[in-house]
């Protein structure tokens, strides 16, 4: 398709479709099994139209898809944080369970292999911008959980969450000595332990 015949509103709609369709495909298939052409075909545009109007590469689109799901994730965290019928530990555990079992919740969380692929194809400047966005995400999560940054920095929170998620997503392929048949029990133990630790940092009201 050419740029001609597309209004500004049409291009904005297609841009949103790229993010929504891309998120659904990546969350269910993973990056390895998702080709750019799959997304473009589902949205109904050509590669030239994509490159001329939206992104320079699949890696750049992937980063924008991750950024696209950030407010969706924060909305869920905020809804859980406002609940009075569950404990702070349960609120934290619910997020950790979602990102660990991302496919069930239609979230895209990268594996170790996917992270390395995106990192290699992004370039330093775009990667630094992405990292800054991730720090802002973790800042907001800490705020919703009422955990001060003196007790846990946003980068520390990111590392803690990713340490659980990456083992769950990547262990079977990248850790040959890992007992994969115990993956679920291991992940649950890690989620429980991390939730308990983070809940101990919550600022309690006087």
């Amino acid at each position: 398709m050419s740029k001609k015949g597309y209004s500004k509103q049409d291009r904005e709609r297609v841009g949103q479709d790229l993010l929504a369709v891309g998120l659904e495909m990546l969350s269910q298939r993973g990056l390895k099994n998702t080709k750019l052409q799959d997304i473009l075909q589902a949205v109904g545009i050509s590669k030239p139209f994509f490159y001329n109007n939206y992104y320079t590469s699949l890696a750049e689109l992937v980063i924008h898809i991750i950024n696209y799901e950030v407010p969706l994730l924060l909305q869920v965290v905020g809804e859980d944080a406002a609940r009075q019928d569950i404990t702070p530990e349960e609120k934290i555990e619910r997020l950790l369970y979602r990102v660990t079992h991302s496919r069930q919740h239609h979230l895209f969380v990268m594996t170790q292999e996917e992270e390395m692929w995106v990192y290699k194809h992004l370039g330093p400047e775009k990667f630094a911008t992405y990292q800054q966005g991730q720090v802002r995400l973790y800042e907001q999560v800490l705020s919703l959980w009422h955990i001060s940054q003196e007790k846990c920095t946003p980068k520390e929170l990111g590392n803690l969450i990713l340490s659980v998620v990456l083992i769950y997503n990547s262990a079977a392929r990248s850790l040959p000595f890992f007992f994969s048949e115990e993956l679920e029990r291991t992940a649950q133990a890690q989620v429980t332990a991390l939730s308990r630790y983070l809940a101990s940092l919550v600022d309690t009201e006087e």
Side-chain angles (χ1 to χ4, degrees):
M1 291 183 180
S2 67
K3 189 174 179 178
K4 296 178 181 179
Y6 271 81
S7 66
K8 180 181 178 181
Q9 290 76 17
D10 288 333
R11 289 194 294 274
E12 289 176 352
R13 175 186 54 77
V14 170
Q16 284 297 112
D17 289 345
L18 282 169
L19 298 174
V21 170
L23 173 57
E24 183 62 21
M25 284 192 179
L26 288 171
S27 69
Q28 299 306 304
R29 302 182 186 180
L31 181 54
K32 184 177 180 180
N33 297 314
T34 301
K35 293 181 171 53
L36 176 60
Q37 186 58 38
D38 296 335
I39 299 174
L40 301 186
Q41 185 174 351
V43 173
I45 62 173
S46 65
K47 280 187 177 181
F49 188 80
F50 171 82
Y51 288 122
N52 289 332
N53 291 279
Y54 300 104
Y55 305 104
T56 61
S57 66
L58 175 58
E60 186 179 357
L61 173 59
V62 168
I63 290 302
H64 280 260
I65 288 170
I66 292 173
N67 291 336
Y68 170 74
E69 69 180 343
V70 164
L72 306 176
L73 192 59
L74 285 174
Q75 179 181 349
V76 172
V77 175
E79 290 171 354
D80 284 343
R83 290 180 58 174
Q84 302 296 318
D85 61 324
I86 55 177
T87 66
E89 184 176 331
E90 290 171 322
K91 295 173 184 179
I92 294 168
E93 187 171 10
R94 285 169 67 84
L95 171 64
L96 297 179
Y97 185 86
R98 284 189 182 96
V99 295
T100 304
H101 299 79
S102 54
R103 181 170 295 186
Q104 297 176 22
H105 298 277
H106 298 271
L107 295 172
F108 174 57
V109 178
M110 289 186 285
T111 65
Q112 183 179 1
E113 293 173 322
E114 290 167 343
E115 284 197 358
M116 289 304 301
W117 185 90
V118 172
Y119 174 74
K120 289 177 181 178
H121 288 81
L122 262 190
E125 186 175 339
K126 290 179 180 178
F127 177 73
T129 300
Y130 165 73
Q131 287 286 71
Q132 292 167 7
Q134 289 294 288
V135 170
R136 289 192 294 271
L137 164 63
Y138 295 125
E139 285 176 349
Q140 294 178 77
V141 172
L142 287 170
S143 177
L144 288 168
W145 285 344
H146 302 289
I147 298 175
S148 69
Q149 294 186 32
E150 288 74 23
K151 294 180 179 178
C152 181
T153 69
K155 292 180 180 179
E156 180 187 1
L157 178 63
N159 284 349
L160 289 169
I161 293 176
L162 287 175
S163 65
V164 175
V165 172
L166 285 177
I167 288 178
Y168 184 81
N169 284 342
S170 306
R173 291 181 297 276
S174 61
L175 298 174
F177 292 97
F178 193 88
F179 296 105
S180 58
E181 64 270 20
E182 294 294 341
L183 179 60
E184 286 295 337
R185 288 166 59 88
T186 304
Q188 184 56 57
Q190 290 176 315
V191 165
T192 299
L194 181 53
S195 300
R196 187 172 298 134
Y197 167 69
L198 291 171
S200 74
L201 305 180
V202 171
D203 295 322
T204 56
E205 296 180 357
E206 298 293 339

